[in-house]
Amino acid sequence: MSKIEKAYSAAKEIYSQLGVNTDTAIAKLSKIPVSLHCWQGDDVSGFENPDAGLDGGIMATGNYPGKARNAEQLRGDLEKAYSLIPGKHRLNLHAIYAETGGKKIERNELTAKHFANWIDWAKQNKLGLDFNPSFFSHPKASSGFTLASLDKSIRKFWIEHGIACRKIGEQMGKSLGKTCVTNIWIPDGYKDTPVDRKIHRELLRNSLDEILKPKVNKKYNLDAVECKLFGIGSESYVVGSHEFYMGYAAKNNTLLCLDAGHFHPTEVISDKISSVLEFVDEILLHVSRGIRWDSDHVVVLTDELQAIAQEIIRGGFTERVHIGLDFFDASINRIAAWVIGTRCMIKALLIALLEPTDSLRKLEKAGDFTSRLAMLEELKTLPFGAVWDYYCVKNNVPAGGKWLAEVKNYEKDVLSKR
Ligand code: RNT
Ligand code: ZN
């Protein structure tokens, strides 16, 4: 027996005393996909013009060398990342990652053929795909308004883009036999106090209605809308606020996307999951880590990350919550950023799956809050790390910190030559 197997069998014994079966936990974990966001690999640049700046009120800071500058590089980097992450997962693409063979294709004219390489690659790698129209880093978004613009021709262009992307999402889902979630996030908002808050919300509602009008098969594509509190340059007012999209999603049967960085700094999305799921069928998460603002730091194993995972598992919501990641750190190795963030998300899910939730519920129902608190704290030092290492090895990925050496080698052999 290897050291990892020995530690696992000791951990298994400890958990079983609490009524938790570690093998069952692992089996459940392997069925929960996490959607990795392609945009961590190139600081949200996309392929239209990798040197143009990012706008839309979001920002990747840092200048770590070696960012991917084309689809081959990005796919290579992603393959490295996936090889270090246990389980079968998904890839979340943005429209700006279209491959147009050097030809300029306007965003409202994009079709699934511009994503054919991505679809083939996903098929080969047994990955599901998710998708996003890109309503930023474009001359027609330079005013800061897209779907909620006062200018009809601007709205029309972006509505067409939204429709094009839903069709692409549908094709992705169909080709891969795995439902694609296409998420709409727009940057629209004002830096300073607006007078007419209402008009843009009316316009956004109408634009969304137009985008969602064409029938798209829900078996292949699900639509999501992402709310936000503020962005850089839209500090005072964001059209697509939480209340706006919560209402829109509930009324129009779309998914609501909750991004962990899109609320007031002390507000947490873990507490929103069970509320929102009372009124919408499914949600999309953009798991992120804001520090002082929507800074999109790499996800790490924080209390909030664990709380998010607990809410998904305790609520029995794994079929109704689509887990996506959303961070972009340009100050560290970008592949390491993916690996750290995704492994942490999976670890948090594992910890939640190892919880003796029924026992805790019983204590809570009996009003024994002393025991509830005591037990929750005791659980924190149980040997979940031994289960995690075992899970990694079982899935043929490095346990512990060994994955880092592989990323360093890749940096030396591939990234440093870019
Ligand atoms: C921006 C949103 C949005 C983007 C990506 C690139 O605040 O979080 O989801 O980060 O779509
Ligand atoms: Zn997001």
Side-chain angles (χ1 to χ4, degrees):
M1 234 203 259
S2 71
K3 264 193 200 148
I4 285 177
E5 282 167 336
K6 265 192 209 142
Y8 177 70
S9 93
K12 189 177 156 113
E13 174 67 29
I14 293 170
Y15 280 106
S16 81
Q17 281 161 14
L18 293 167
V20 174
N21 184 321
T22 51
D23 292 331
T24 312
I26 285 176
K28 285 188 183 155
L29 185 62
S30 68
K31 300 213 170 69
I32 307 176
V34 174
S35 196
L36 271 76
H37 52 313
C38 75
W39 53 92
Q40 165 59 63
D42 73 338
D43 317 335
V44 211
S45 304
F47 306 142
E48 287 178 0
N49 179 3
D51 295 315
L54 172 64
D55 65 15
I58 53 178
M59 200 160 138
T61 54
N63 52 5
Y64 202 84
K67 84 165 185 180
R69 304 181 59 82
N70 56 49
E72 284 72 44
Q73 292 180 354
L74 190 56
R75 282 193 279 267
D77 294 357
L78 280 161
E79 279 171 28
K80 188 82 235 171
Y82 285 115
S83 76
L84 303 170
I85 295 166
K88 270 287 148 222
H89 299 287
R90 306 178 58 87
L91 177 70
N92 197 3
L93 278 174
H94 243 284
I96 48 174
Y97 293 85
E99 289 172 84
T100 58
K103 258 187 39 206
K104 183 167 168 56
I105 307 286
E106 267 307 343
R107 291 194 199 167
N108 59 343
E109 274 154 15
L110 287 170
T111 66
K113 75 168 188 271
H114 303 114
F115 293 88
N117 292 343
W118 282 112
I119 295 173
D120 287 348
W121 176 81
K123 211 177 273 170
Q124 277 159 28
N125 290 278
K126 298 196 173 62
L127 297 164
L129 285 178
D130 295 304
F131 199 49
N132 305 259
S134 311
F135 297 96
F136 53 86
S137 301
H138 188 280
K140 285 194 160 63
S142 62
S143 71
F145 283 87
T146 61
L147 293 177
S149 167
L150 296 173
D151 181 333
K152 195 167 178 216
S153 69
I154 295 282
R155 292 200 305 278
K156 181 170 177 282
F157 175 81
W158 291 114
I159 289 168
E160 287 168 4
H161 179 53
I163 294 172
C165 288
R166 292 180 67 225
K167 292 192 177 147
I168 295 168
E170 184 182 39
Q171 191 53 50
M172 287 175 168
K174 205 176 196 167
S175 308
L176 299 170
K178 291 177 179 161
T179 316
C180 170
V181 178
T182 297
N183 177 51
I184 295 177
W185 168 72
I186 61 163
D188 302 30
Y190 281 122
K191 180 184 179 74
D192 224 329
T193 321
V195 174
D196 200 339
R197 290 175 186 266
K198 188 179 72 165
I199 180 78
H200 295 288
R201 291 187 169 136
E202 286 172 355
L203 292 169
L204 176 55
R205 180 182 178 174
N206 290 335
S207 294
L208 291 169
D209 287 350
E210 291 299 314
I211 292 178
L212 297 178
K213 219 177 253 164
K215 277 262 162 301
V216 157
N217 192 336
K218 287 202 173 194
K219 205 170 129 200
Y220 303 127
N221 182 75
L222 292 170
D223 302 295
V225 288
E226 180 177 4
C227 59
K228 187 163 181 172
L229 175 68
F230 81 97
I232 303 167
S234 60
E235 290 86 355
S236 300
Y237 166 79
V238 164
V239 184
S241 62
H242 180 50
E243 289 72 15
F244 178 91
Y245 278 128
M246 175 78 204
Y248 193 88
K251 202 159 185 165
N252 297 281
N253 255 313
T254 70
L255 278 67
L256 182 70
C257 172
L258 297 173
D259 182 309
H262 286 194
F263 298 88
H264 289 280
T266 57
E267 210 177 338
V268 285
I269 61 166
S270 53
D271 187 47
K272 300 180 188 298
I273 295 172
S274 58
S275 297
V276 174
L277 285 176
E278 281 296 316
F279 302 100
V280 304
D281 290 342
E282 296 180 33
I283 58 176
L284 169 65
L285 297 184
H286 271 187
V287 182
S288 190
R289 178 169 55 110
I291 296 196
R292 304 192 193 284
W293 66 291
D294 180 28
S295 61
D296 289 291
H297 277 68
V298 178
V299 164
V300 293
L301 195 55
T302 55
D303 286 350
E304 171 57 2
L305 185 70
Q306 295 186 57
I308 291 168
Q310 283 162 349
E311 282 304 302
I312 298 171
I313 302 301
R314 289 175 184 166
F317 293 142
T318 49
E319 298 299 315
R320 296 174 64 196
V321 176
H322 302 257
I323 305 173
L325 303 173
D326 186 8
F327 49 80
F328 23 100
D329 189 337
S331 75
I332 61 172
N333 180 300
R334 294 170 184 82
I335 299 164
W338 269 319
V339 176
I340 293 166
T342 315
R343 284 173 69 114
C344 282
M345 183 71 242
I346 303 169
K347 267 183 218 167
L349 290 163
L350 174 64
I351 296 172
L353 285 162
L354 290 170
E355 181 186 84
T357 312
D358 289 344
S359 313
L360 287 164
R361 272 206 188 104
K362 260 183 216 141
L363 296 173
E364 186 164 280
K365 280 199 187 121
D368 187 355
F369 307 139
T370 309
S371 302
R372 177 184 65 184
L373 182 62
M375 188 155 176
L376 280 172
E377 288 310 298
E378 288 306 322
L379 293 174
K380 287 183 180 169
T381 50
L382 289 188
F384 77 86
V387 183
W388 166 252
D389 283 347
Y390 178 75
Y391 184 65
C392 287
V393 169
K394 245 184 88 154
N395 280 278
N396 298 315
V397 308
K402 281 198 217 115
W403 61 267
L404 186 58
E406 291 204 29
V407 172
K408 292 276 181 191
N409 282 339
Y410 186 82
E411 178 168 317
K412 195 162 92 279
D413 300 341
V414 182
L415 300 181
S416 71
K417 297 190 177 131
R418 283 184 187 159

